[in-house]
Amino acid sequence: MLDYIRSIGQVVKNSEGESDRVGLFQKMDSETSESCDGIIDVNINDTADAHGNYVSVSATRAFTREVSKEGLFYVKSRTYIGAMLRQNQYQSDKNKEANKEAKKNEDVGVEPAKKRKREPKPSSNVSKCLQFLDLSMDRLDEVNSKLDAKIAEKVAENPKYNYVILFTRNGKKPFEIDSCRKKFIELYKRNILHATDTPGYCHLCNRLVNSRFESCGLGCYTNDKSVYYKTYGSEADRSLPFGVCDDCLADLLYGERFALQYLTVWWGGLKGEKVIFLPHQFNDDIKLTFETNLIGDTESNKGFLARIQTNEADVLGCIGTGDYAMDVIFISAPAGRSEWKIQCVIENVSTSRFAKIAKLQKIYQTRGGETSDGREIKIRNLQLKTIIYYLVGNFAEKKGFPAYEDIFATNEARYYLDVILHGVEINRREFFVHVMSIFWRYYARDKERECIMTIHRIYNFLVDCGCLQHGWNMPLYIGGENMVAPYLTIDELFERNPERFSSDFRKAWFLLGNVYGSIRRDMKSARSDRGGDYATKLVENAFITDRKFNMKDFNEIARVCWEYSCAHNTEHYIKTRLANAIDLIGTGSDVEGISPDEIALYFVWGQTQYIGKEKENEDTGDADENPDNNTTDEENSDKNDE
């Protein structure tokens, strides 16, 4: 992974030129990135003013994240560099002083133990800032007294006031002082990168150099350190667990900056979880592709990947214009942390695979149209998050809508994404168990037709991706236009889809479901006043949801449907299809051994499949094939963007 980051950095550095090392070293997404109420500026002059004061504390100004850069601030764990303090750092000083004073009072009359003389170290975070600015500690008391007064004033106005403190010298910010910039680089190399003067080979470029860095500052990327560990070089060189030269270090930092800005996005999951699309090859053309944003907000400086939430198919299609492989890396990057943790890596995904997936997403889009009340139904491409939501089979909602946005928070969801991106075959029985568990939840809400259409699109998508077998020619409406005509007869449906209806057993369950659906619609229609015990059973959802879909259930459903048809003299085609179903089921044996959940799908497929000439949306009033109450998280995202 480090090699990929380094190759990205080489291209970026060559095309944009060398930039300031301080900017590369500073972690702008570190713990200082949280917003504050204001900035307190503390200036220390080398000479006193007319009143004998060396220190001035100015009125607070509005907070800006650039203050970290101005103060040359960097913090990671216990390592602290710069001349800026956060509120908790300053408060820590006050707590230490209070504890020290309390201990001093307790030790009155106790003879102190002898201690070795050592070089005095800064006793507080404020003194560390003064030392960084090369200021005398004689100014410490004046700084503390005036700073305490200003903070007390602000806290009196607002007890929850949150602040950062920036120290300056002679009116110049640390970033503007050459000696401070040089000191920052030296401290960073020594404390963060662990610079060593031991000659040896760089583990990335294999050049013999006089000095190296035992760390590249990218602990989050170095899960492949073992690849370079003790592989070549002298015995002395192999004593270092990891080492990079100064040039490779620069390349890594340039690569990291580009990756964070253009290759890292939130695609779903919990807060702080992101995805990196990391190309194995990189050149100026690939760089321009990721920097250019032709989707949505073209003025955005984040590149086209930033639109993956609302324009997933278009984004994946843009990735597919290249000819290289990439890794899809899921990371946990909580706000306020300078580094993150790798959760999952999907390796070696061809860009052509992204192109194929994007094409299929548009082929299996929803129909769209207009309902009887004049409401417009948007055409929506099939989303990978929707597919994986059904594959996982864990029904979850957020504010009344499917929790698509949280789907990548689980390893199971990431596994299914890996399967789709590589075209690995899915266990067929497991697929139907999961999708039918989602279906029955929508069935209870009388949204079976919309849900089964989603399942059909997902099923055929996975067949075309190589993850399942035996697809079928389902009616398609690409761009709102009818690309595959609906079926006029059931015989036509069977004949054109021999793989899906490869046995009389499958056809029988489909026909039984079709009869059941026709009778339910007849009973629910406004003109129907038919009743009876068996009629009440047929309308109740529990009559179907509690079934095991074995021969006992087939006979039970067929019997009740037949009694209803005879008692109320239903249309002739209903009795004919029911008779055909009974004939086709025969002995009830299934030579192919399909699972009960797949049998259930054939039944509800027959129940919801429309056979005949295409209906007008205005007549049916159910043009929307989205089971989520005609609103999706995608729509909500659009509203948030606006």
Side-chain angles (χ1 to χ4, degrees):
M1 191 182 302
L2 287 175
D3 283 328
Y4 303 146
I5 298 294
R6 173 172 166 262
S7 65
I8 292 172
Q10 288 175 330
V11 174
V12 173
K13 183 174 70 175
N14 292 336
S15 80
E16 299 180 358
E18 293 270 1
S19 64
D20 182 38
R21 280 290 179 95
V22 172
L24 291 175
F25 285 154
Q26 277 191 299
K27 306 290 186 183
M28 299 308 293
D29 61 333
S30 69
E31 297 175 38
T32 60
S33 62
E34 65 268 15
S35 180
C36 296
D37 295 322
I39 302 171
I40 299 176
D41 291 297
V42 180
N43 182 57
I44 303 98
N45 291 317
D46 292 338
T47 57
D49 60 13
H51 303 286
N53 297 320
Y54 289 88
V55 180
S56 62
V57 180
S58 61
T60 57
R61 57 188 170 100
F63 177 80
T64 171
R65 298 186 191 280
E66 288 296 311
V67 68
S68 297
K69 182 177 180 180
E70 295 171 353
L72 296 177
F73 181 82
Y74 178 88
V75 61
K76 177 185 176 184
S77 187
R78 295 185 177 182
T79 303
Y80 163 62
I81 306 174
M84 191 198 88
L85 291 180
R86 297 169 303 172
Q87 180 177 4
N88 65 323
Q89 290 177 297
Y90 183 74
Q91 193 60 46
S92 175
D93 282 354
K94 300 292 107 179
N95 294 338
K96 287 180 180 178
E97 288 179 11
N99 293 336
K100 185 177 180 181
E101 188 66 26
K103 190 174 187 309
K104 183 178 179 181
N105 294 333
E106 293 175 359
D107 294 340
V108 173
V110 179
E111 185 177 348
K114 293 183 178 180
K115 297 182 179 179
R116 291 185 299 171
K117 290 185 178 181
R118 296 178 180 176
E119 183 179 346
K121 293 183 178 181
S123 58
S124 67
N125 289 317
V126 173
S127 59
K128 290 178 183 177
C129 291
L130 299 185
Q131 186 184 62
F132 185 81
L133 291 170
D134 296 320
L135 289 166
S136 170
M137 290 298 118
D138 295 339
R139 308 287 170 256
L140 182 60
D141 290 339
E142 186 179 355
V143 169
N144 281 331
S145 63
K146 292 188 175 181
L147 190 54
D148 287 345
K150 174 59 72 173
I151 292 174
E153 174 189 331
K154 300 303 296 184
V155 171
E157 297 173 0
N158 178 11
K160 296 183 179 180
Y161 185 75
N162 191 14
Y163 56 86
V164 295
I165 305 168
L166 178 64
F167 295 88
T168 59
R169 179 176 181 177
N170 298 322
K172 287 187 176 182
K173 298 170 183 175
F175 187 80
E176 301 169 340
I177 303 174
D178 291 339
S179 61
C180 291
R181 292 164 61 86
K182 183 179 179 181
K183 182 180 292 187
F184 175 86
I185 293 174
E186 290 175 352
L187 289 172
Y188 190 93
K189 287 182 176 180
R190 183 175 72 239
N191 298 334
I192 307 300
L193 303 177
H194 307 297
T196 175
D197 293 330
T198 305
Y201 290 90
C202 171
H203 287 114
L204 293 180
C205 67
N206 199 25
R207 288 191 302 118
L208 180 62
V209 291
N210 293 325
S211 61
R212 293 174 295 170
F213 302 97
E214 293 183 24
S215 170
C216 59
L218 306 178
C220 41
Y221 289 96
T222 51
N223 64 337
D224 50 0
K225 275 185 179 180
S226 58
V227 174
Y228 309 102
Y229 180 59
K230 295 183 179 180
T231 52
Y232 42 72
S234 64
E235 189 67 32
D237 178 66
R238 292 198 297 271
S239 65
L240 286 174
F242 180 77
V244 294
C245 65
D246 190 69
D247 289 339
C248 286
L249 174 67
D251 293 338
L252 288 169
L253 294 175
Y254 279 103
E256 179 201 25
R257 186 176 66 180
F258 186 90
L260 289 176
Q261 183 172 359
Y262 295 109
L263 306 180
T264 306
V265 293
W266 185 72
W267 197 6
L270 302 178
K271 186 177 180 180
E273 294 181 346
K274 297 182 180 180
V275 181
I276 301 176
F277 292 84
L278 188 62
H280 290 188
Q281 302 174 22
F282 204 76
N283 53 40
D284 289 330
D285 292 335
I286 299 175
K287 175 177 177 289
L288 182 62
T289 298
F290 282 100
E291 288 176 331
T292 305
N293 182 16
L294 300 178
I295 306 171
D297 180 13
T298 56
E299 300 299 322
S300 173
N301 62 350
K302 295 184 178 180
F304 72 89
L305 280 179
R307 305 298 299 181
I308 196 168
Q309 279 294 107
T310 53
N311 302 83
E312 185 180 272
D314 292 332
V315 168
L316 298 184
C318 287
I319 297 176
T321 58
D323 184 19
Y324 50 89
M326 64 165 43
D327 293 342
V328 180
I329 307 165
F330 286 85
I331 63 172
S332 174
R337 298 293 181 89
S338 60
E339 290 194 355
W340 35 259
K341 180 180 179 182
I342 294 175
Q343 297 176 315
C344 173
V345 180
I346 302 175
E347 298 179 314
N348 299 316
V349 183
S350 171
T351 52
S352 61
R353 187 69 183 174
F354 286 108
K356 180 175 183 178
I357 289 172
K359 181 180 179 181
L360 292 174
Q361 286 180 302
K362 294 179 179 180
I363 288 176
Y364 295 109
Q365 62 186 202
T366 58
R367 179 178 181 177
E370 187 175 298
T371 60
S372 56
D373 58 0
R375 180 171 49 85
E376 181 184 359
I377 305 299
K378 287 185 177 181
I379 298 172
R380 299 188 183 92
N381 297 322
L382 184 59
Q383 301 288 301
L384 283 177
K385 286 186 288 187
T386 303
I387 297 169
I388 293 172
Y389 179 82
Y390 277 79
L391 284 174
V392 172
N394 181 21
F395 184 85
E397 288 188 324
K398 201 171 185 180
K399 296 181 180 180
F401 301 105
Y404 294 146
E405 301 305 316
D406 297 340
I407 192 64
F408 288 130
T410 65
N411 288 329
E412 188 177 10
R414 298 170 196 142
Y415 161 76
Y416 279 120
L417 179 63
D418 191 351
V419 164
I420 293 171
L421 292 179
H422 287 106
V424 178
E425 188 169 352
I426 296 173
N427 183 291
R428 191 176 185 87
R429 284 178 173 264
E430 187 177 277
F431 168 80
F432 285 107
V433 168
H434 289 178
V435 298
M436 291 309 293
S437 69
I438 299 290
F439 173 82
W440 294 124
R441 300 297 292 266
Y442 284 116
Y443 189 87
R445 302 177 182 182
D446 293 327
K447 290 184 175 290
E448 61 270 16
R449 180 183 179 276
E450 297 92 333
C451 186
I452 200 65
M453 288 300 296
T454 300
I455 292 175
H456 285 327
R457 294 200 305 274
I458 291 173
Y459 179 87
N460 270 15
F461 174 93
L462 293 173
V463 170
D464 292 341
C465 277
C467 302
L468 287 173
Q469 296 179 352
H470 311 314
W472 71 287
N473 297 304
M474 67 175 293
L476 299 176
Y477 302 91
I478 302 176
E481 298 294 330
N482 189 342
M483 305 302 291
V484 179
Y487 295 96
L488 297 178
T489 65
I490 287 184
D491 288 339
E492 181 190 1
L493 175 66
F494 291 165
E495 290 170 3
R496 287 178 54 191
N497 300 283
E499 289 186 339
R500 288 295 277 141
F501 296 98
S502 56
S503 68
D504 291 343
F505 185 83
R506 297 170 187 252
K507 295 175 183 177
W509 276 103
F510 179 92
L511 286 170
L512 182 63
N514 187 261
V515 169
Y516 175 76
S518 298
I519 291 177
R520 270 175 62 101
R521 285 190 292 273
D522 180 71
M523 292 175 57
K524 288 184 176 182
S525 64
R527 63 180 180 274
S528 177
D529 57 355
R530 298 162 184 170
D533 293 340
Y534 50 82
T536 303
K537 288 182 181 179
L538 285 170
V539 176
E540 292 176 353
N541 290 329
F543 182 72
I544 293 300
T545 55
D546 295 336
R547 297 289 173 182
K548 296 181 179 179
F549 293 94
N550 50 25
M551 272 307 298
K552 179 181 178 181
D553 288 337
F554 185 96
N555 293 331
E556 171 71 10
I557 299 170
R559 179 185 62 80
V560 176
C561 288
W562 184 261
E563 290 175 356
Y564 180 88
S565 300
C566 294
H568 297 290
N569 194 25
T570 59
E571 294 186 49
H572 180 69
Y573 79 89
I574 294 179
K575 295 179 181 178
T576 302
R577 290 177 183 175
L578 181 55
N580 289 340
I582 295 172
D583 290 341
L584 289 170
I585 199 68
T587 60
S589 61
D590 174 32
V591 294
E592 297 175 349
I594 63 176
S595 66
D597 289 286
E598 187 168 359
I599 295 173
L601 183 119
Y602 275 101
F603 179 86
V604 297
W605 181 3
Q607 179 183 340
T608 55
Q609 180 67 44
Y610 175 72
I611 303 294
K613 292 183 179 181
E614 183 179 6
K615 294 182 179 181
E616 294 292 334
N617 294 341
E618 292 81 4
D619 294 334
T620 61
D622 58 0
D624 190 10
E625 295 170 0
N626 173 32
D628 311 328
N629 198 23
N630 304 326
T631 307
T632 63
D633 290 341
E634 183 178 329
E635 276 189 349
N636 295 334
S637 299
D638 290 338
K639 293 175 184 176
N640 293 335
D641 290 341
E642 293 173 1

